[in-house]
Amino acid sequence: MVRSHSPRGTLGDLCWVAAMLFVVVAQPLYLLPIEQQLPITLTLVMVGLFLKKPTVKDEAKASRPVVVLGRALDLTLIAGSAVAGIYMAVNYAKIIFRQGAFTSLDNVVALVLLFLVLEGVRRAVGWPLTIVCLIFVLYALYGRYMPGPLLHRGYSLERTARQLALSYSGIYGIPLAVMVRYVILFIVFGALLQVSGATDFLVRFAQSIAGRFTGGLGKVAVVSSALVGTISGSAAGNVATTGSVTIPAMKRGGYQPHVAGAIESVASTGGQIMPPIMGAAAFLMADYLGIPYLQVAAAAVIPAVLYFLAAGVAIDLYARAQGLRGLTREEMPRFFRTLREGWIFLVLIGLVYAMLVMGYTATRAAFVGVVAAAVLVLLKRVKLKELWEVLRQGAEAAGILCAVTAGAGIVVGVVQLTGLGAQLAAALVDLSGGYVIVLLLLVMVSSLILGMGMPTTVVYILLAALVGPALVTMGLKPVSAHFFFFYFGVLAAITPPVALASYAAASIAGSDFNQTGWTSFKIAIPSFIVPFFFALNPALLLDGTTGEIIRSSITAALGVWLITTAVMNWMNGRLPWPARLVLLATSALLIDGGLTTDLIGLAVLVGMLVWRFRFTTPAQVVAKSAASLGGNETSNKTAADGGGPEQRGVRIEGAHGTDAV
């Protein structure tokens, strides 16, 4: 990418910031119809993209003819983007009325737009999504040669381009429209809060709440990332903001570097499912399902709590294994003093959420939040340089998202043109043999594989078009089905071998990328089970009676705790393999929403607790735990006797095997 302080880079930044500010003003105030806002926004994004990401990346090392040719190509792409975008914005009404009777010029513009978007996607996020888009375009062209359920009549290149560029079910379809209507506004809201000091406050606020507990610094990372996630909605962005504070603090507090990076990446990834402001895919979900965004945010509450519960329990067990204490009273920020210094940030976040609860649209709530945050920036007298930098970063994130959602619109458009969604749904149902759990496993694998190479937003769009109908056909409720693959698209950020959030955290922690990635995966293993909880039990998405929701929440929380206990290998001492298998089986009983399975699971759990805490003596527990730490015979004997000072700074009652992570 061209450096931001170079003339070309600065001009690209200006285009992206202009696109972002145009949306902030034009969308909430309805200054232009959405049919004009979309091409104008995408034009500014594409021009900025071709400026910021040139054909020749390092002109200093390239020959003069190559540099000249590269610049000429970039200028051609910039001019093509401007002309095509202006044409669409000016003639949008005529194009709508010309559906089915397009002119030759319409066809040319459609072909140019299709090529520009494909090249823009390639420059924005690389080849994975570009290849997917090309495959779908080729599928539209050569469908008559496809086998079995993939067969369709086939369409000409002009017909395909018109569908994708001149209708509002392709490039200018729902994915890009959601970006313009909601997501960019929330990106600006988060950026303004960040530059006014919200991130620092939320970290200190988390320290004042969770810092005193065992392994407090790790739990601070979880709480602070959950809080910051409410204003960022981005795993990588969350790692960059909170991780720069929490990871060094965890390392100083005794956490191994790869564990510190893993904890932060797991916690930051949860920001995309943390209400009230979730990732961009959540806004897409609201549009696809035709429900208010507030309903999506409300449905996400229990899954988000279960996710962070799993992370918190895993960190607690690891901290006990390593004897990591919480912050001392002197080290902890004072709760009321911290609250007094930063209460305004909680008020602003609460204001947005309150407006959603009161029934205002997400656009209106975000706009009010942006205006309030802008006033706060003025009152705090934030320097223009700092404000520009945070707006530039936010505009870059928004620009990349606009480019990839335009590319994802190609996939959606082809699916609608060819009827692939219904055909693939039938094929998946047949492949699953009629078993819901098999279909869920197939969708899980698809989500994780796609998520390794593409943003969560794109993964959600693809799966909503391709596998969503199959899940609904098998009896899942639409909200449960969409949340299922949305959740796994998020978890792909911490799934090796391409765990992008883990790698970002590893770069801050100075740890090995692969070690950090696999450690993140191990900590998050219980979270990979959570989607099956709410897919099989919609009460966890607030779809049920009050009694069902409460009972399901309690049993699901117990199930998460049991899975984490089995994975981390700790319940009043190390567990033998049979006991760990029993815990996993018990958690499976609790996952099922039925009353009978819940009662059986609770009975087994009570029996396990009685066995571990009633019939396992403290001396046996300490001896086993001390031995698992690899201590010498003297320390083991001292521990078994129940006396003597703590060894290696480990609290005897919290000793635990070092294989926890």
Side-chain angles (χ1 to χ4, degrees), residues 422-440:
Q423 295 170 340
L424 189 61
L428 284 173
V429 171
D430 291 340
L431 185 61
S432 68
Y435 294 99
V436 175
I437 192 67
V438 175
L439 181 59
L440 290 175

Side-chain angles (χ1 to χ4, degrees), residues 434-453:
Y435 294 99
V436 175
I437 192 67
V438 175
L439 181 59
L440 290 175
L441 290 171
L442 290 172
V443 173
M444 177 190 75
V445 173
S446 302
S447 303
L448 293 176
I449 291 175
L450 289 173
M452 291 178 188

Side-chain angles (χ1 to χ4, degrees), residues 321 570 573-574 618-640 647-648 650-652 654-658:
W570 170 257
R574 284 169 60 91
Q620 290 174 324
V621 171
V622 172
K624 291 178 182 178
S625 302
S628 71
L629 287 170
N632 56 37
E633 293 181 3
T634 303
S635 64
N636 289 348
K637 184 178 186 302
T638 303
Q647 301 293 328
R648 295 170 53 194
V650 180
R651 295 173 180 152
I652 295 302
H656 166 32
T658 56

Side-chain angles (χ1 to χ4, degrees), residues 292-430:
Y293 172 73
L294 176 62
Q295 189 174 336
V296 173
V301 170
I302 296 175
V305 170
L306 294 176
Y307 179 94
F308 285 105
L309 173 66
V313 171
I315 293 165
D316 181 79
L317 296 178
Y318 172 81
R320 292 182 183 279
Q322 302 298 323
L324 302 176
R325 298 177 175 83
L327 297 173
T328 64
R329 183 177 295 274
E330 292 73 23
E331 294 171 326
M332 281 181 56
R334 296 292 180 265
F335 175 78
F336 289 107
R337 180 179 177 181
T338 303
L339 189 60
R340 187 169 60 250
E341 293 173 351
W343 59 271
I344 187 63
F345 301 115
L346 297 180
V347 169
L348 289 183
I349 296 172
L351 172 65
V352 172
Y353 197 54
M355 291 189 68
L356 292 172
V357 172
M358 292 169 64
Y360 290 94
T361 64
T363 300
R364 182 65 59 84
F367 180 67
V368 171
V370 167
V371 172
V375 172
L376 182 62
V377 167
L378 292 175
L379 293 176
K380 286 185 171 288
R381 299 180 180 180
V382 175
K383 296 179 181 178
L384 287 178
K385 183 178 180 180
E386 295 177 357
L387 180 60
W388 163 256
E389 182 60 24
V390 75
L391 287 177
R392 185 194 67 78
Q393 293 175 0
E396 181 174 337
I400 299 297
L401 274 174
C402 283
V404 299
T405 50
I410 292 175
V411 176
V412 175
V414 170
V415 169
Q416 293 186 4
L417 178 66
T418 62
L420 177 62
Q423 295 170 340
L424 189 61
L428 284 173
V429 171
D430 291 340

Side-chain angles (χ1 to χ4, degrees), residues 151-171:
L151 177 69
H152 68 87
R153 57 177 288 189
Y155 298 90
S156 67
L157 181 59
E158 292 78 8
R159 174 70 178 86
T160 302
R162 290 197 300 266
Q163 167 74 15
L164 299 178
L166 302 182
S167 73
Y168 292 94
S169 59
I171 292 169

